[in-house]
Amino acid sequence: MKVLVTGGAGFIGSHVAHELIRQGDDVIVLDNLYQGHREAVHPDATFIEGDLADKSLLDQLFAEHKPDAVMHFASHTLVGESMEKPFLYLRENIVNGLNLLETAVAHGTLKFVLSSTANLFDDPERMPIDEQERIVPGSPYGESKAILERMLHWLDVTKGMKYAALRYFNACGCGLGLGEDHDPETHLIPIVLQVALGQREQITVFGDDYETRDGTCVRDYIHVLDLASAHILALRALDQGSRTYNLGTGNGFTVQEIIETAREVTGHPIPAVAGPRRAGDPATLIASSEKIGRELGWEPRHSDIRSVISDAWEWMSANPQGYGQS
Ligand code: UFG
């Protein structure tokens, strides 16, 4: 299959693009390199540096390459930033996503996999969170993904587009020679490992008075290679219809437990200090992935927390300054 991967130079998109190529698919990567890295693009992929705001570029790309399917990762992705810059998220995630969808439909590309988020569930009634949970976006970022999911629903009804919306919980780990390299870095595991590398003095734990087993937030950490396999299974199942899945492991770890595991993996003391809560952080987010397991036979194979942290540690210690600067 020929697959257009938007954001294919970014953390999750690059892993999925590499895995597609490993499985024999043709990949076109479209990325504006705002957060992505040229070095993360597979050498066998066709790379186009460009922006989804550029409709004539999109038109040309679809006319020339005629992709069978789109996997859409290119997006602003930070909950906190979206609270400070709502228009950035509402405009770029929604309008650029619409440009992509409109061009895909115009060229008859009717298979689409959307990178969605657990930030759809700000006030969950069930834990673990399954696909029946009501959608309550926690930020303009979450809202932008909720709107893209609704657009896909209507394009299925009106144009026959078959889509998979995949809501990830905490993506982490790395593999296939790739890594996680954000600037600025806001995610827990890479920040903890930056302390072990001596790039930060300590980790600040955002709140230790939550109603959890040790007072720190619980999250469901899912290895990016398990996310990649879920994307590809979902892509290949689109002939049987559209689908929405929550993607996690069904297990949660506290911030404190992540720090402890990172101490064991790295042998570094990793000093930690308690700080105030970060605005917008729910106490606990755990996914039920029972549906994708039942329907597609997916199961996480790489997500035990020690492997997640040691895979990330291996890449970060080999590439302490990230891509292109080691
Ligand atoms: N944390 C700290 N200190 C830090 C960084 C993070 O204590 O320096 C804590 C956070 O408060 C949170 C946990 O570590 O409890 C995980 O935080 P991350 O920033 O790594 O991830 P989030 O759970 O905030 O965000 C993730 C994804 C988002 C997605 C969101 C869904 O990165 O894209 O889950 O709620 F939208």
Side-chain angles (χ1 to χ4, degrees):
M1 205 184 289
K2 191 184 268 193
V3 186
L4 169 62
V5 181
T6 75
F11 171 47
I12 303 172
S14 63
H15 282 83
V16 175
H18 274 63
E19 183 57 22
L20 282 166
I21 288 170
R22 206 184 63 79
Q23 293 191 19
D25 296 285
D26 288 336
V27 169
I28 305 137
V29 167
L30 174 66
D31 200 300
N32 63 7
L33 302 182
Y34 172 72
Q35 279 283 345
H37 304 275
R38 183 67 184 87
E39 300 84 347
V41 177
H42 195 291
D44 294 343
T46 302
F47 176 58
I48 298 166
E49 184 174 348
D51 201 286
L52 294 168
D54 186 347
K55 277 201 87 174
S56 64
L57 170 77
L58 284 178
D59 208 40
Q60 203 185 324
L61 186 159
F62 276 83
E64 187 177 334
H65 294 284
K66 300 183 177 41
D68 303 302
V70 178
M71 288 186 155
H72 179 39
F73 298 93
S75 173
H76 295 281
T77 60
L78 300 176
V79 172
E81 184 184 54
S82 80
M83 298 298 279
E84 286 159 24
K85 299 179 183 169
F87 290 111
L88 180 70
Y89 280 70
L90 296 172
R91 182 178 54 249
E92 298 202 358
N93 286 4
I94 297 170
V95 178
N96 292 353
L98 185 57
N99 284 346
L100 178 63
L101 285 168
E102 206 171 355
T103 314
V105 170
H107 287 266
T109 302
L110 295 177
K111 289 183 176 171
F112 198 98
V113 179
L114 174 69
S115 171
S116 189
T117 176
N119 195 240
L120 302 186
F121 309 117
D122 198 42
D123 187 22
E125 286 174 340
R126 287 183 284 265
M127 197 65 66
I129 300 169
D130 64 23
E131 293 79 2
Q132 303 305 313
E133 181 61 54
R134 73 214 156 100
I135 305 289
V136 181
S139 67
Y141 165 63
E143 190 71 60
S144 71
K145 295 290 184 174
I147 290 169
L148 284 170
E149 287 197 6
R150 295 304 299 162
M151 286 181 189
L152 285 167
H153 164 75
W154 287 112
L155 293 177
D156 185 351
V157 171
T158 59
K159 300 287 182 185
M161 175 166 265
K162 297 301 162 214
Y163 68 90
L166 304 180
R167 292 111 167 225
Y168 330 138
F169 284 59
N170 289 66
C172 52
C174 58
L176 306 171
L178 301 164
E180 181 170 9
D181 178 6
H182 295 114
D183 185 18
E185 188 52 78
T186 64
H187 295 108
L188 179 66
I189 292 174
I191 288 181
V192 166
L193 296 177
Q194 285 173 352
V195 179
L197 281 173
Q199 296 174 344
R200 296 176 187 251
E201 276 183 20
Q202 59 191 27
I203 170 86
T204 302
V205 176
F206 296 149
D208 62 356
D209 56 352
Y210 286 94
E211 281 188 24
T212 60
R213 51 186 174 265
D214 62 19
T216 66
C217 287
V218 172
R219 292 289 180 274
D220 187 341
Y221 294 89
I222 168 100
H223 197 293
V224 67
L225 292 179
D226 287 328
L227 287 182
S229 68
H231 281 77
I232 295 171
L233 285 171
L235 173 71
R236 310 227 190 280
L238 289 181
D239 285 332
Q240 284 89 56
S242 296
R243 54 204 63 238
T244 296
Y245 298 121
N246 293 354
L247 290 180
T249 66
N251 285 318
F253 292 92
T254 68
V255 173
Q256 202 53 53
E257 287 162 352
I258 295 294
I259 297 169
E260 294 292 347
T261 310
R263 287 176 178 141
E264 288 166 22
V265 167
T266 64
H268 187 283
I270 310 184
V273 291
R277 291 182 176 196
R278 185 172 68 176
D281 272 344
T284 300
L285 283 175
I286 298 172
S288 164
S289 292
E290 195 263 332
K291 185 179 172 204
I292 186 169
R294 191 178 64 245
E295 293 188 0
L296 302 184
W298 176 83
E299 56 177 347
R301 294 176 196 279
H302 302 273
S303 293
D304 79 87
I305 202 64
R306 236 192 130 82
S307 309
V308 162
I309 293 175
S310 59
D311 287 353
W313 177 238
E314 195 179 311
W315 190 83
M316 285 180 65
S317 30
N319 302 274
Q321 305 304 323
Y323 280 107
Q325 298 162 46
S326 44

